[in-house]
Amino acid sequence: MTSDTNHQKFALTTPLYYVNDVPHTGSAYTTMIADVIARWKRLEGYSVLFITGTDEHGQKIERTASSKGLDPQTHCDQIVTSFESLWHKLDIQYDRFSRTTAARHHAIVNEFFQKVWDKGDIYLAQQQGWYCVACEEFKEERELIENHHCPIHTNLKVEWRDEENYFFRLSQYQEKLEHLYANAPNFIGPESRRNEVLNFVKQGLQDFSISRINVEWGFPIPNDPKHTIYVWFDALLAYITALLEPNQEPTLENALSNWWPINLHLIGKDILRFHAVYWPAMLMSAGYSLPKQVFGHGFLTKNGQKMGKSLGNTLDPFDLVQRYGSDAVRYYFLKEIELGKDGDFNETRFVNIVNADLANDLGNLLNRTLGMVKKYCQSKGPQIKGSNLAPDHPLKIIGLELGDKVTQGYSALRFSQVCEEILNLIRASNKFIDESAPWSLFKQGQQAEVEQVLYAVLESVRLAAYLLSPIIPNLSTKIYRQLSFSVDFNHLNQIQEVANFAIHSQWGQLSTNLELSQPEPIFTKLELPLDDS
Ligand code: MSP
């Protein structure tokens, strides 16, 4: 990393979640990934703005609230607290929580609507078509499955609509969008999703309706208040509202002055079209620059079907984190599901993987190595430096390349690969300590060799903890504490990060003057509940 990057900014978003229900593990998945990216960027020294929030308008929320006998705002306020609470439990460090019902957001939506109106991109016409309330989206007849059910919410029927709506002239932006995809090949990731979008756009873009007449729960269209603004038009703009400083006057100019353009919109593949087609076209119409990247990840599935609130097949994230802790949950989803692909959750596999990697390979290695340091070096820490070790030392070879490999992996959002690379060093360390047998070296009076072995292993564990800290911040903090550092990966301040990245991300930095504390187990093995085993 060059020092220039220390001053760069990075803004990223999760989708703004519908508040029709409390969050499920699918919502948690996107947010955990975004948090890992945000933490990694902060570690590298970037100024980061991590935005999440809730999408609270529209028919889906209106109906849910009414079925509970609540007014929509009361319902939203209740559900929002459960999102905030889950993010807290999962150690999500967001900077902004954007709610589409905020008054400041209303001001931003009105101003944006006016710009698009002034451009001549909005007109009134008749809308006929099949609507999925759970998706909040019109569907083509050919997309529907048997009995007019939605292909995503397979248990729900789409509803026929025939009403007057305001439309946005998306068709005007066909060429400009094609130009964008050609000139900014990274705008849509991963590659497979990019192709989907290119194919969709190639078929010809149709204008889409941006108002509703039978939905009260939304912002009224300025000058025609019997219409409310379509929930997606409203929600996408809340990414912009989130850029305002807490007490700033809510104008587009203010909102876009500091953090725009957003670097990354992390989303699920079902909402790619809104982000990669509608959103850039809306921004082009209003005359603004575009976000740098939209990345569509896969679905968490249960028995092959998208896990979701509408399908009622979710896994309770509160329960998961309560039983297993946030590091375990974060680690599993980041390592086990290649970003971009779908992944099935299986609890036995979850427990086995986390125990194998974090409890056995990493935790036990640190614990037994510290035990040996205590025994063979009087807890002083090995009196050796990385630079003293031969260039062909097996751990040094892996360790010296690891920082760069992992940096590349994080930048490319290849988190499984990041975990594998780091585990490779940890597994090599386990093998190395077994083969070097410091206990025999000690008996033979070879103190210098004993210290070399222990140093190399401890330094490898330290480096692994540092590089994994965006994923398992609590465990990394415990490891660092055991190695006598006072770093808390949940409370890094900007100065400390900038000063430390270049040093900590390199193998061979462990000091010779460690005041090692009493070794303590850092990760308790997970256990399956009895009825699941
Ligand atoms: N409100 C819109 C987003 C507006 S953004 C301006 C929305 N909300 S949602 O709550 O339905 O979905 C939010 C995100 O969660 C989407 O990216 C969606 O893909 C993701 N997931 C919902 N279920 C999921 C899984 N089962 N697996 C992985 N992600 C899933 O869409």
Side-chain angles (χ1 to χ4, degrees):
M1 258 316 106
T2 62
S3 57
D4 316 353
T5 56
N6 292 342
H7 304 292
Q8 287 181 6
K9 288 179 186 165
F10 193 89
L12 78 164
T13 67
T14 69
L16 306 179
Y17 299 99
Y18 285 130
V19 289
N20 55 317
D21 207 343
V22 295
H24 65 85
T25 308
S27 341
Y29 178 61
T30 325
T31 315
M32 287 187 283
I33 296 162
D35 184 62
V36 168
I37 300 170
R39 283 174 181 262
W40 175 255
K41 287 287 176 193
R42 290 190 198 111
L43 210 57
E44 280 190 314
Y46 282 71
S47 295
V48 172
L49 192 78
F50 171 16
I51 297 164
T52 189
T54 42
D55 184 356
E56 306 182 13
H57 287 136
Q59 193 155 31
K60 165 148 99 169
I61 310 302
E62 190 175 68
R63 283 188 185 172
T64 312
S66 115
S67 73
K68 288 164 79 179
L70 292 174
D71 73 277
Q73 191 64 61
T74 308
H75 162 77
C76 293
D77 292 348
Q78 283 177 2
I79 300 285
V80 163
T81 58
S82 64
F83 275 90
E84 288 170 334
S85 146
L86 181 63
W87 301 156
H88 179 69
K89 288 180 197 296
L90 281 168
D91 296 306
I92 306 295
Q93 297 189 323
Y94 58 82
D95 300 293
R96 300 277 158 82
F97 194 102
S98 192
R99 295 186 59 178
T100 57
T101 49
R104 59 205 327 239
H105 178 53
H106 195 173
I108 293 290
V109 171
N110 279 350
E111 194 185 341
F112 193 94
F113 185 90
Q114 193 59 45
K115 278 192 174 273
V116 178
W117 179 271
D118 292 345
K119 182 79 187 290
D121 280 339
I122 297 175
Y123 64 94
L124 198 59
Q126 196 67 17
Q127 166 79 68
Q128 288 186 323
W130 294 108
Y131 194 71
C132 172
V133 175
C135 292
E136 292 280 17
E137 185 181 18
F138 278 101
K139 304 278 171 188
E140 298 290 329
E141 177 100 40
R142 62 184 149 78
E143 292 177 77
L144 305 177
I145 58 169
E146 233 171 274
N147 291 328
H148 286 101
H149 279 70
C150 167
I152 296 180
H153 305 97
T154 50
N155 59 338
L156 295 180
K157 269 197 165 177
V158 291
E159 298 172 22
W160 181 250
R161 294 277 191 280
D162 185 359
E163 61 185 44
E164 203 170 47
N165 286 169
Y166 283 94
F167 280 74
F168 171 71
R169 288 188 205 281
L170 183 64
S171 55
Q172 295 287 310
Y173 292 90
Q174 167 109 17
E175 240 176 70
K176 288 201 177 103
L177 287 169
E178 282 173 340
H179 199 252
L180 161 72
Y181 307 141
N183 286 307
N186 291 330
F187 178 68
I188 304 167
E191 185 68 23
S192 56
R193 302 272 173 264
R194 179 169 183 268
N195 295 336
E196 269 172 36
V197 172
L198 295 190
N199 284 335
F200 170 74
V201 174
K202 219 189 314 169
Q203 289 167 26
L205 290 176
Q206 288 173 10
D207 298 346
F208 70 98
S209 60
I210 58 166
S211 76
R212 298 288 180 266
I213 46 170
N214 292 316
V215 181
E216 279 176 27
W217 184 233
F219 295 133
I221 292 270
N223 301 327
D224 196 352
K226 69 175 182 298
H227 290 257
T228 49
I229 292 189
Y230 172 43
V231 59
W232 268 101
F233 193 87
D234 163 351
L236 288 161
L237 291 170
Y239 291 141
I240 292 184
T241 308
L243 303 176
L244 287 163
E245 295 302 320
N247 297 316
Q248 226 175 357
E249 195 198 338
T251 63
L252 282 168
E253 191 186 351
N254 282 342
L256 298 169
S257 64
N258 191 5
W259 289 96
W260 189 260
I262 284 169
N263 298 78
L264 174 67
H265 289 302
L266 186 70
I267 55 165
K269 61 183 178 179
D270 51 335
I271 56 173
L272 191 62
R273 209 174 280 181
F274 294 103
H275 286 80
V277 183
Y278 294 13
W279 180 222
M282 286 163 59
L283 291 163
M284 285 171 182
S285 171
Y288 295 123
S289 60
L290 305 180
K292 299 283 179 222
Q293 193 181 33
V294 172
F295 193 98
H297 64 67
F299 286 153
L300 297 187
T301 55
K302 223 172 175 185
N303 305 322
Q305 264 204 325
K306 181 191 174 206
M307 195 185 279
K309 296 172 270 202
S310 304
L311 275 179
N313 61 349
T314 58
L315 176 74
D316 179 4
F318 289 96
D319 178 49
L320 211 56
V321 74
Q322 168 77 29
R323 283 193 288 136
Y324 300 117
S326 100
D327 282 356
V329 176
R330 295 166 65 106
Y331 181 78
Y332 177 82
F333 285 114
L334 269 289
K335 175 173 181 239
E336 270 308 289
I337 300 173
E338 198 186 312
L339 193 70
K341 304 226 165 109
D342 290 353
D344 227 47
F345 180 83
N346 173 294
E347 198 156 339
T348 308
R349 188 169 162 71
F350 164 81
V351 165
N352 289 344
I353 285 178
V354 172
N355 281 345
D357 295 358
L358 301 185
N360 296 346
D361 286 348
L362 185 60
N364 282 354
L365 176 65
L366 175 65
N367 199 249
R368 71 181 175 132
T369 310
L370 284 177
M372 287 187 237
V373 169
K374 189 160 186 268
K375 208 152 146 199
Y376 307 141
C377 314
Q378 292 80 46
S379 285
K380 267 295 190 218
Q383 297 303 301
I384 199 150
K385 285 194 199 139
S387 53
N388 298 144
L389 299 180
D392 63 350
H393 186 285
L395 299 187
K396 186 171 179 174
I397 290 181
I398 305 175
L400 283 179
E401 288 187 341
L402 193 63
D404 284 345
K405 281 190 181 168
V406 165
T407 300
Q408 284 167 18
Y410 273 114
S411 313
L413 312 183
R414 295 208 194 94
F415 306 111
S416 317
Q417 189 190 321
V418 162
C419 294
E420 285 300 345
E421 293 284 2
I422 299 170
L423 272 182
N424 182 36
L425 176 64
I426 291 306
R427 291 186 184 133
S429 303
N430 274 302
K431 184 161 172 258
F432 176 71
I433 206 164
D434 289 344
E435 289 175 358
S436 318
W439 45 93
S440 311
L441 294 172
F442 183 72
K443 271 195 205 138
Q444 291 155 20
Q446 300 190 45
Q447 185 63 22
E449 283 75 7
V450 170
E451 293 191 8
Q452 275 199 10
V453 172
L454 297 180
Y455 176 89
V457 173
L458 284 186
E459 171 56 1
S460 299
V461 174
R462 181 205 63 77
L463 181 61
Y466 185 75
L467 297 173
L468 281 173
S469 65
I471 302 176
I472 47 169
N474 303 297
L475 186 51
S476 292
T477 300
K478 280 191 189 160
I479 294 175
Y480 257 61
R481 296 254 160 100
Q482 289 262 290
L483 293 174
S484 80
F485 291 92
S486 59
V487 173
D488 179 346
F489 288 100
N490 281 315
H491 293 103
L492 289 174
N493 67 44
Q494 211 67 42
I495 296 162
Q496 185 188 21
E497 292 155 34
V498 176
N500 285 349
F501 182 77
I503 301 174
H504 283 256
S505 64
Q506 291 302 319
W507 194 89
Q509 304 304 324
L510 203 62
S511 150
T512 49
N513 293 316
L514 298 173
E515 286 298 327
L516 297 172
S517 48
Q518 185 64 25
E520 279 167 18
I522 49 165
F523 192 87
T524 315
K525 272 195 171 196
L526 308 184
E527 282 183 28
L528 276 173
L530 288 176
D531 53 342
D532 269 50
S533 51

